[in-house]
């Protein structure tokens, strides 16, 4: 008999997951969420000096004159000032409010919502065999169970990539038709361990690479939950709760510096990259290392559970 | 009949929690046989099948299939089997063809082979229909298709008659016999339907409280037994023991295998010694053993 190839398992997993109506529903929800920033941008009051350096200069003046801003001296304020100063010093125009670049920048704030959809998908991929009872028939086949885990994990990552790509395509296409596609050549100035300036496409690519690191960590956590509890709904609920509330809970215990090594302190890259760090010394690299370690440990425990635990 | 042993289980022991589900069970199944596995609820039939499939971890004992030891090479061992469980074997949202493709991709079967197998089991007109719309009988035909596709040495089926209508049962029985004859493979079938197993199987193994308690070889044994009740069972047993005739006891009754010559001898001894025969009953041996198990 031929050696069973991992690629066959992957194709099987992809077909099992992507051929269901459930995925279609999740992708429709993704599209609806992706359109939201367009409507928010569309309903924003547009100043007369929109998209000019004058708007940046006046923003700097407002921040400098505002007593609350100057006395607070918080990170967010400092980063905002740095971004404005960079734009003025380097003559970089801010994106117009009604533009693709504005929508794309706004879309990144919505990533946690897409993460919920990714968590739901991952929960289904790992727990469906248990809830439907097909796990017995599946695991009685001559398969190496670590390969099954890998196939399911890659399927979950493919679903996450699909969600991200669909959200981007929808937001770019819809906003492009509404505001014009010329915004794709804009530059976006943002804060990421220092002020950075990138083209829209590079900005999108960088953001989504960081988002994918969060996806890697959270997917392995949800996979472990689904295999441990043998229930996708529980795993999804717990995964979503931890993702949303994890950083807030950790923040309440911020005096315990050891908590910076916990996965949930490191998965919300949007916050970390904007400059709000939960613990001193946290950097992108630090978070990437912590997420990777958690991902490996969670995956190992999941495979051990697959291998060692009784089924049925 | 080929007497090569394809499945060997020695001193198998399995506990769940503190309860011992399988006690030092030993079993040997020969090639190209259809074996029925019978026992009351909770006897350990499904547990035995799940243990054979590697789904439950055994505490002790050896299992080997076609000479491949479970502990030495689990993957190679599992390649010898095709398991069909009584619950969900298929992905309901996928089509009939895609369900078989799932198996086919793993075992390197071509699309052409899958198409042929679907036609063979009579599901050609439902090839693209979702399995969720299939009846029990059609699901069983899909199980047969899996067996035909896999061509495994040992096919293990847990309660395959559940929910299948009489016509489906007949078709299923014929398919199993045909596959066995064509592919020279072995079947181990667990069921409560004694009449079906009696028609289908070469041998029936009785399992109770996690152990094999009896077996009936349907090829050599007609499977029927006479039950005699007399007015003095103690004296009857004594007379028969002294005469060295072949019989067995069940409480106060005398059990005689379906052998008219032996029955005549026993009757003659009892009548000549003025023992009153109160009742003679011809009973199916399989049903009798099963009723005894339930009675226990």
């Amino acid at each position: 008999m031929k050696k069973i190839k991992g690629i066959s398992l992957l194709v099987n997993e992809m077909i099992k997951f992507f051929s269901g109506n459930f995925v279609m529903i999740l992708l429709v929800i993704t599209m609806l969420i992706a359109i939201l920033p367009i409507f928010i941008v569309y309903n924003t009051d547009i100043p007369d000096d929109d998209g000019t350096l004058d708007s940046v200069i006046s923003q700097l003046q407002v921040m400098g004159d505002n007593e609350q801003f100057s006395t607070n001296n918080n990170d967010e304020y400092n980063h905002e000032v740095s971004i404005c100063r960079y734009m003025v010093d380097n003559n970089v125009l801010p994106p117009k409010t009604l533009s693709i670049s504005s929508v794309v920048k706004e879309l990144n704030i919505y990533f946690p919502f897409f993460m919920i959809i990714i968590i739901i998908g991952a929960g289904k991929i790992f727990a469906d065999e248990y809830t439907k009872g097909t796990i017995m028939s599946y695991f009685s086949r001559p398969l190496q169970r670590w390969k099954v885990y890998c196939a399911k994990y890659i399927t979950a990552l493919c679903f996450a990539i699909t969600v991200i790509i669909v959200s981007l395509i929808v937001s770019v296409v819809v906003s492009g038709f509404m505001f014009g596609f010329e915004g794709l050549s804009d530059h976006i100035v943002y804060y990421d361990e220092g002020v950075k300036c990138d083209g829209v496409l590079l900005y999108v690519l960088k953001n989504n690479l960081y988002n994918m690191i969060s996806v890697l960590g959270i997917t392995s956590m949800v996979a472990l939950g689904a295999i441990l509890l043998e229930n996708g709904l529980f795993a999804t609920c717990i995964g979503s709760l931890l993702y949303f509330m994890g950083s807030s809970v950790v923040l309440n215990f911020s005096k315990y510096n050891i908590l910076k090594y916990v996965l949930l302190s490191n998965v919300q890259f949007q916050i970390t990259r904007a400059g709000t760090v939960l613990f001193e010394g946290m950097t992108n690299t630090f978070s990437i290392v912590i997420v990777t370690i958690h991902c490996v440990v969670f995956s190992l425990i999941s495979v051990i559970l697959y291998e060692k635990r009784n089924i049925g | 009949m080929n007497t090569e042993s394809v499945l060997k289980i020695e001193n198998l022991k399995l506990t769940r929690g503190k309860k011992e589900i399988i006690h030092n069970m030993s079993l040997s199944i020969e090639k190209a046989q259809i074996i029925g596995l019978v026992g009351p609820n909770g006897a350990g039939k499904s547990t035995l099948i799940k243990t054979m499939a590697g789904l439950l971890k055994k505490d002790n004992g050896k299992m080997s299939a076609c000479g491949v030891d479970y502990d030495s090479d689990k993957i190679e061992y599992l390649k010898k089997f095709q398991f069909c469980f009584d619950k969900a074997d298929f992905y309901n949202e996928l089509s009939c063809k895609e369900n078989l493709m799932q198996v086919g991709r793993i075992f390197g079967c071509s699309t052409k082979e899958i198409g042929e197998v679907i036609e063979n089991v009579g599901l050609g007109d439902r090839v693209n229909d979702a399995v969720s719309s299939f009846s029990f009988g059609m699901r069983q035909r899909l199980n047969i298709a899996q067996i035909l596709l896999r061509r495994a040495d040992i096919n293990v089926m847990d309660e395959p008659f559940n929910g299948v209508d009489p016509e489906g049962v007949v078709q299923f029985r014929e398919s199993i016999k045909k596959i066995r004859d064509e592919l020279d493979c072995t079947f181990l079938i667990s069921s409560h339907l004694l009449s079906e197993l009696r028609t289908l199987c070469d041998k029936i193994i009785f399992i109770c409280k996690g152990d094999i308690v009896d077996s009936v070889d349907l090829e050599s044994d007609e499977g029927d037994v006479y039950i005699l009740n007399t007015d003095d069972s103690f004296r009857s047993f004594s007379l028969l023991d002294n005469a060295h005739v072949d019989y067995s006891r069940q409480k106060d009754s005398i059990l005689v295998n379906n052998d008219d010559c032996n029955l005549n001898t026993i009757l003659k001894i009892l009548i000549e010694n003025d023992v009153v025969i109160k009742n003679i009953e011809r009973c199916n041996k399989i049903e009798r053993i099963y009723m005894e198990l339930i009675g226990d």
Side-chain angles (χ1 to χ4, degrees):
Chain A
M1 187 180 284
K2 287 178 194 171
K3 197 173 179 190
I4 293 158
K5 289 176 187 165
I7 193 79
S8 308
L9 294 178
L10 182 59
V11 172
N12 278 353
E13 288 301 331
M14 292 279 195
I15 289 172
K16 271 190 272 181
F17 181 67
F18 282 97
S19 62
N21 293 332
F22 189 75
V23 176
M24 285 301 130
I25 295 166
L26 291 182
L27 290 179
V28 168
I29 297 169
T30 302
M31 289 178 196
L32 292 174
I33 297 172
I35 294 169
L36 263 181
I38 300 169
F39 286 101
I40 288 168
V41 164
Y42 193 72
N43 287 310
T44 311
D45 290 330
I46 301 163
D48 295 335
D49 55 0
D50 183 43
T52 62
L53 274 180
D54 291 345
S55 66
V56 181
I57 293 164
S58 55
Q59 195 185 342
L60 265 172
Q61 278 171 353
V62 169
M63 286 192 284
D65 294 344
N66 192 314
E67 207 176 309
Q68 201 190 340
F69 272 136
S70 55
T71 51
N72 275 355
N73 196 26
N74 57 33
D75 287 346
E76 208 176 328
Y77 165 77
N78 286 335
H79 297 155
E80 200 59 40
V81 170
S82 308
I83 288 169
C84 289
R85 285 207 179 116
Y86 179 93
M87 290 166 93
V88 174
D89 293 347
N90 295 281
N91 204 22
V92 180
L93 293 176
K96 285 182 180 171
T97 308
L98 300 182
S99 68
I100 285 183
S101 49
S102 230
V103 170
V104 163
K105 205 174 173 187
E106 191 77 18
L107 189 69
N108 195 44
I109 301 166
Y110 283 73
F111 181 73
F113 294 106
F114 298 124
M115 186 60 111
I116 292 185
I117 290 171
I118 292 165
I119 287 171
I120 294 171
K124 184 173 166 62
I125 288 168
F126 282 95
D128 230 22
E129 304 266 3
Y130 288 105
T131 44
K132 290 183 176 166
T134 48
I135 191 84
M136 290 209 291
S137 168
Y138 196 19
F139 276 2
S140 66
R141 289 176 189 153
L143 306 171
Q144 278 166 316
R145 292 183 190 173
W146 68 267
K147 282 187 183 175
V148 174
Y149 176 83
C150 290
K152 285 185 182 292
Y153 193 80
I154 294 170
T155 307
L157 293 185
C158 287
F159 174 63
I161 292 169
T162 309
V163 166
I164 291 169
I165 289 175
V166 165
S167 67
L168 270 173
I169 289 174
V170 168
S171 64
V172 167
V173 169
V174 176
S175 58
F177 275 112
M178 286 179 77
F179 312 131
F181 287 95
E182 61 272 18
L184 280 172
S185 56
D186 286 352
H187 278 76
I188 295 176
V189 183
Y190 60 99
Y191 196 91
D192 179 14
E193 294 175 351
V195 179
K196 304 266 169 71
C197 177
D198 289 322
V200 172
L201 295 177
L202 187 61
Y203 174 81
V204 166
L205 184 73
K206 274 187 179 177
N207 268 333
N208 286 311
L209 281 177
Y210 279 110
N211 288 340
M212 275 312 290
I213 293 161
S214 301
V215 168
L216 281 170
I218 293 293
T219 302
S220 60
M221 184 179 79
V222 174
L224 176 59
I227 294 168
L228 194 67
L229 302 168
E230 300 185 357
N231 188 307
L233 189 63
F234 281 155
T236 300
C237 291
I238 292 170
S240 306
L241 268 175
L242 287 176
Y243 178 69
F244 272 96
M245 294 177 64
S247 51
S248 314
V249 172
V250 167
L251 203 60
N252 285 327
F253 297 97
S254 55
K255 60 178 177 179
Y256 303 109
N257 202 44
I258 195 158
L259 287 176
K260 74 176 177 184
Y261 299 105
V262 171
L263 174 72
L264 300 167
S265 309
N266 293 280
V267 279
Q268 295 214 355
F269 277 95
Q270 310 96 312
I271 299 172
T272 316
R273 294 179 69 218
T276 314
V277 288
L278 298 173
F279 297 95
E280 210 169 310
M282 278 176 74
T283 59
N284 287 338
T285 316
F286 174 84
S287 291
I288 290 168
V289 170
I290 294 295
V291 171
T292 310
I293 291 171
H294 275 84
C295 185
V296 171
V297 171
F298 287 162
S299 296
L300 278 175
I301 298 171
S302 299
V303 170
I304 291 168
L305 281 173
Y306 257 175
E307 292 282 352
K308 301 286 177 195
R309 197 158 64 167
N310 284 336
I311 294 161
Chain B
M1 176 68 69
N2 195 335
T3 55
E4 184 189 338
S5 176
V6 285
L7 175 66
K8 257 188 179 178
I9 293 174
E10 289 170 60
N11 303 319
L12 185 71
K13 188 181 159 191
L14 182 132
T15 47
R16 296 192 83 173
K18 287 180 180 174
K19 199 178 173 192
E20 198 172 285
I21 310 287
I22 296 176
H23 317 273
N24 292 322
M25 187 187 282
S26 294
L27 172 69
S28 177
I29 293 175
E30 288 160 15
K31 193 178 177 183
Q33 277 204 320
I34 302 175
I35 308 291
L37 196 61
V38 174
N41 288 333
K45 304 185 296 291
S46 295
T47 307
L48 172 65
I49 290 173
K50 284 175 195 166
T51 312
M52 281 164 58
L55 299 173
L56 301 178
K57 306 288 170 223
K58 62 186 171 66
D59 300 319
N60 211 350
K62 275 189 165 187
M63 300 191 293
S64 65
C66 305
V68 182
D69 185 55
Y70 175 87
D71 295 312
S72 312
D73 192 343
K74 185 180 167 185
I75 299 292
E76 251 342 281
Y77 163 90
L78 285 175
K79 280 181 186 173
K80 309 292 176 195
F81 288 95
Q82 167 65 34
F83 290 93
C84 303
F85 293 96
D86 61 332
K87 288 180 187 157
D89 271 325
F90 304 107
Y91 301 100
N92 284 333
E93 64 274 24
L94 298 182
S95 69
C96 160
K97 187 179 179 185
E98 184 47 47
N99 263 290
L100 290 178
M101 292 283 282
Q102 292 272 324
V103 181
R105 274 185 213 104
I106 292 174
F107 296 103
C109 308
S110 67
T111 316
K112 192 186 164 200
E113 279 176 274
I114 292 166
E116 282 171 3
V117 161
I118 293 172
E119 287 296 332
N120 273 350
V121 296
L123 289 173
D125 54 337
R126 303 292 301 266
V127 69
N128 292 318
D129 290 359
V131 170
S132 55
S133 66
F134 278 24
S135 65
F136 283 110
M138 289 165 83
R139 279 168 177 268
Q140 211 49 270
R141 277 195 261 168
L142 203 50
N143 259 331
I144 297 289
Q146 268 199 97
I147 290 170
L148 286 169
L149 200 61
R150 276 287 323 273
R151 293 172 173 260
D153 294 299
I154 309 161
N155 299 289
V156 183
M157 310 184 91
D158 194 8
E159 301 288 356
F161 304 110
N162 274 2
V164 183
D165 60 27
E167 190 192 343
V169 170
V170 174
Q171 284 175 353
F172 175 75
R173 198 170 57 210
E174 295 311 314
S175 305
I176 297 289
K177 283 183 174 173
K178 197 174 161 202
I179 293 169
R180 189 270 303 268
D181 295 340
E182 283 177 6
L183 303 181
D184 215 21
C185 57
T186 307
F187 282 88
L188 180 63
I189 300 170
S190 131
S191 177
H192 283 104
L193 291 182
L194 300 180
S195 55
E196 286 309 325
L197 289 181
R198 200 177 165 208
T199 327
L200 175 65
C201 298
D202 302 315
K203 185 178 178 179
I204 291 183
I205 293 170
F206 293 89
I207 179 169
C208 187
K209 292 178 182 171
D211 209 353
I212 292 170
V213 289
D214 211 335
S215 67
V216 176
D217 197 334
L218 295 170
E219 281 184 325
S220 58
D221 192 337
E222 281 288 303
D224 284 354
V225 68
Y226 293 103
I227 303 174
L228 278 75
N229 289 306
T230 61
D231 63 340
D232 187 345
S233 54
F234 183 75
R235 190 161 158 257
S236 306
F237 293 150
S238 165
L239 287 167
L240 296 176
D241 287 341
N242 291 336
H244 302 290
V245 288
D246 186 21
Y247 83 103
S248 57
R249 300 175 188 184
Q250 185 195 327
K251 293 177 184 167
D252 291 339
S253 305
I254 298 162
L255 302 185
V256 187
N257 280 334
N258 186 11
D259 178 342
D260 290 337
C261 182
N262 197 27
L263 177 67
N264 286 343
T265 314
I266 287 172
L267 288 173
K268 195 177 169 192
I269 295 166
L270 295 175
I271 292 164
E272 278 175 357
N273 289 281
D274 297 328
V275 175
V276 178
I277 298 179
K278 287 161 68 180
N279 183 28
I280 302 180
E281 189 186 344
R282 184 171 172 163
C283 178
N284 179 264
K285 192 173 176 182
I286 300 166
E287 282 168 9
R288 184 187 61 78
I289 297 171
Y290 188 70
M291 293 314 287
E292 270 180 45
L293 290 180
I294 292 175
D296 282 349

